[in-house]
Amino acid sequence: MMIINLKNAEHYVWGDGCDGWFLHKSAAFTLIQERVPVGKAEVRHYHEYADQVFYVLQGVATLEVDGTIHQLRAGDSLAIPVGAAHQLSNQGPAELQFLLISQPNSHGDRVLAPLESV
């Protein structure tokens, strides 16, 4: 067992200046803390195998899921079921930080989903 935090967690960069840190990584599930600067977004996609839960730590997350827009603030969470197309963005005035829980591990399980294909 080892205490994991942002100083020693496995780090990766995604999108245009966004960060992720694996707080837990196994085949069964992942727990990731992510940081999204103002005006940045992930690509719209869905997962064939993984359910996901987004939990906002700070800032405001705009999360489009199957055409419905959700605004999540600190303390809010939203579960995304397998197959639901979604896109997270930071349209707020401050940096966004959130936890992302995926079961099973969602890395390698991302299928692009342009809005016009829905």
Side-chain angles (χ1 to χ4, degrees), residues 2 25 41 56 62 73 96 100 104-105 112:
M2 180 175 151
K25 184 179 181 181
V56 176
T62 299
R73 290 171 172 66
L96 168 63
L100 176 60
N105 183 334
L112 294 181

Side-chain angles (χ1 to χ4, degrees), residues 22 26 31 39 45 56 61 67 74 84 90 104 110:
F22 283 101
S26 71
L31 172 60
H45 65 279
V56 176
N90 181 358
R110 185 167 84 165

Side-chain angles (χ1 to χ4, degrees), residues 23-89:
L23 301 178
H24 176 82
K25 184 179 181 181
S26 71
F29 80 96
T30 55
L31 172 60
I32 301 169
Q33 183 166 336
E34 294 196 350
R35 182 191 69 80
V36 181
V38 173
K40 303 300 181 182
E42 68 178 342
V43 297
R44 191 166 192 276
H45 65 279
Y46 66 91
H47 299 279
E48 293 183 310
Y49 305 104
D51 286 311
Q52 295 188 307
V53 176
F54 290 80
Y55 178 81
V56 176
L57 299 171
Q58 74 177 46
V60 179
T62 299
L63 192 55
E64 179 267 323
V65 182
D66 284 337
T68 301
I69 304 295
H70 304 273
Q71 296 283 319
L72 286 75
R73 290 171 172 66
D76 292 343
S77 68
L78 184 66
I80 311 295
V82 169
H86 58 282
Q87 181 177 23
L88 178 131
S89 62

